[in-house]
Amino acid sequence: MKLSHGDRIALFAPAGAVSERELLAGIEILESWGLRIHIPERIFETHRYLAGPDESRAREFRELFLSGDFKALWAARGGFGSLKILPYLKELELTRRRSYPIIIGFSDLSLLLNHLFDRFQIPSWHAPTVTFLARLSKEACDKLKALLLGRERFKINGLPLIQGEAEGFLCGGNLASLASLLGTPYWPDLSGKILIIEETNEKLYRLERLFTQLALAGIFEKVSGLVIGDLCGLPPEGYLSILKEILPPDLPTGYAFKIGHFPESRAFPIGQRARLTISEGRALLFEIDK
């Protein structure tokens, strides 16, 4: 699941309306990596706060995905809207090709990425959208390039909360976006998977509500491990007591991983098998061979 110099990358807008200035700044970064960028004609279409009507956004994704013309599809922006196109992908017909384009995005795109792996076993990269790329630090941008071009394997450190070890496919992403799937036909099967969570623009009591919602739905009893990324820029002491109250005492859990909506954010591969090791003073998540 890697890119190469000269690969054709199509942008797509499944969620919020796209800023031309931010998009062009992100495209400049991708082109500096030697990637060839395709910009669909309707990328700047708007419908309220969305990047066009639901059916239009879904149709664009289906056409780009099935065209066979692109090595990857990179989401222009998150925001809100991916949830509304999932019903239009229910009848997504997959051709008999050996491979499909790599899907890249984060935030609201968490819904689509997890849906594609859950229903079609298609892996993807949970990584900053194109409009977010210019906000990354140089170190984070270089790290993203190395991961996507296959120069490094996925590995990330955090801090320990509940010691233990876990192994399974990686899943997850934005907490509020994922929670919005509960009670719908699109909630993914997380059994035995390592769940990664990050969040932005939520107050502490809302975070507690969302974590409680997942707990009451039995999600933390199903996953094999839990990885907490950035939570709205809050210091850990602001939320650790909440997690200790909510989480099962034997669920291997780490926190303060560099995953989320901030300049040092790191990407992770949804659908990749990985191992989580939590010991005293250390938490490590890394990919393993299937």
Side-chain angles (χ1 to χ4, degrees):
M1 198 167 62
K2 66 178 183 178
L3 303 177
S4 300
H5 188 280
D7 280 344
R8 295 189 70 206
I9 312 298
L11 308 187
F12 71 110
V18 178
S19 160
E20 182 175 1
R21 178 182 59 82
E22 292 180 336
L23 188 73
L24 293 178
I27 290 173
E28 184 177 352
I29 292 172
L30 297 181
E31 289 180 336
S32 74
W33 297 358
L35 302 175
R36 296 182 294 154
I37 307 302
H38 169 72
I39 307 174
E41 291 183 1
R42 61 154 304 276
I43 197 78
F44 298 116
E45 185 178 347
T46 60
H47 177 67
R48 295 194 298 274
Y49 33 76
L50 301 168
D54 301 339
E55 189 171 1
S56 175
R57 302 194 317 278
R59 181 172 60 251
E60 176 188 67
F61 175 76
R62 286 199 309 266
E63 291 174 353
L64 292 171
F65 185 82
L66 296 174
S67 70
D69 296 333
F70 306 102
K71 183 63 177 290
L73 307 184
W74 203 315
R77 187 198 164 197
F80 166 73
S82 298
L83 177 65
K84 301 192 72 183
I85 73 169
L86 295 185
Y88 295 96
L89 304 181
K90 187 176 181 180
E91 304 301 328
L92 186 66
E93 295 181 4
L94 302 181
T95 61
R96 295 183 179 273
R97 297 198 311 271
R98 289 187 177 182
S99 62
Y100 297 94
I102 302 165
I103 312 300
I104 306 170
F106 79 159
S107 190
D108 188 66
L109 270 293
S110 301
L111 306 176
L112 180 60
L113 304 183
N114 286 275
H115 177 71
L116 289 174
F117 183 67
D118 182 62
R119 299 299 169 89
F120 306 111
Q121 293 73 56
I122 296 171
S124 57
W125 277 103
H126 181 281
T129 55
V130 179
T131 54
F132 198 91
L133 289 176
R135 305 184 206 177
L136 294 179
S137 69
K138 184 181 184 306
E139 180 183 358
C141 201
D142 289 344
K143 187 75 172 180
L144 177 61
K145 178 182 178 181
L147 280 172
L148 294 185
L149 296 184
R151 298 171 184 171
E152 292 185 10
R153 300 193 73 183
F154 171 72
K155 181 180 179 181
I156 190 169
N157 294 291
L159 296 174
L161 180 60
I162 302 174
Q163 294 186 34
E165 292 192 358
E167 189 174 306
F169 292 109
L170 295 178
C171 65
N174 182 257
L175 175 59
S177 297
L178 291 172
S180 71
L181 290 177
L182 281 170
T184 76
Y186 306 104
W187 176 257
D189 180 8
L190 302 185
S191 301
K193 295 183 173 68
I194 297 174
L195 176 61
I196 300 177
I197 290 294
E198 64 85 24
E199 188 50 84
T200 185
N201 293 330
E202 296 287 357
K203 295 183 182 298
L204 185 59
Y205 78 89
R206 291 180 179 174
L207 288 175
E208 183 170 4
R209 175 192 294 159
L210 290 165
F211 275 109
T212 301
Q213 183 181 9
L214 294 186
L216 294 178
I219 303 306
F220 297 129
E221 277 74 29
K222 295 179 180 179
V223 299
S224 64
L226 180 63
V227 170
I228 305 296
D230 182 67
L231 294 180
C232 311
L234 293 171
E237 54 267 25
Y239 59 79
L240 286 182
S241 62
I242 294 173
L243 294 178
K244 289 176 181 178
E245 291 178 5
I246 291 175
L247 298 178
D250 59 348
L251 176 64
T253 302
Y255 69 97
F257 286 80
K258 290 183 178 180
I259 296 171
H261 291 66
F262 68 118
E264 298 303 325
S265 183
R266 302 295 193 261
F268 70 87
I270 288 180
Q272 170 67 48
R273 285 197 67 84
R275 182 173 294 128
L276 175 65
T277 61
I278 312 289
S279 58
E280 186 175 355
R282 188 186 188 200
L284 179 63
L285 178 67
F286 57 97
E287 70 172 275
I288 59 176
D289 295 327
K290 296 183 179 180

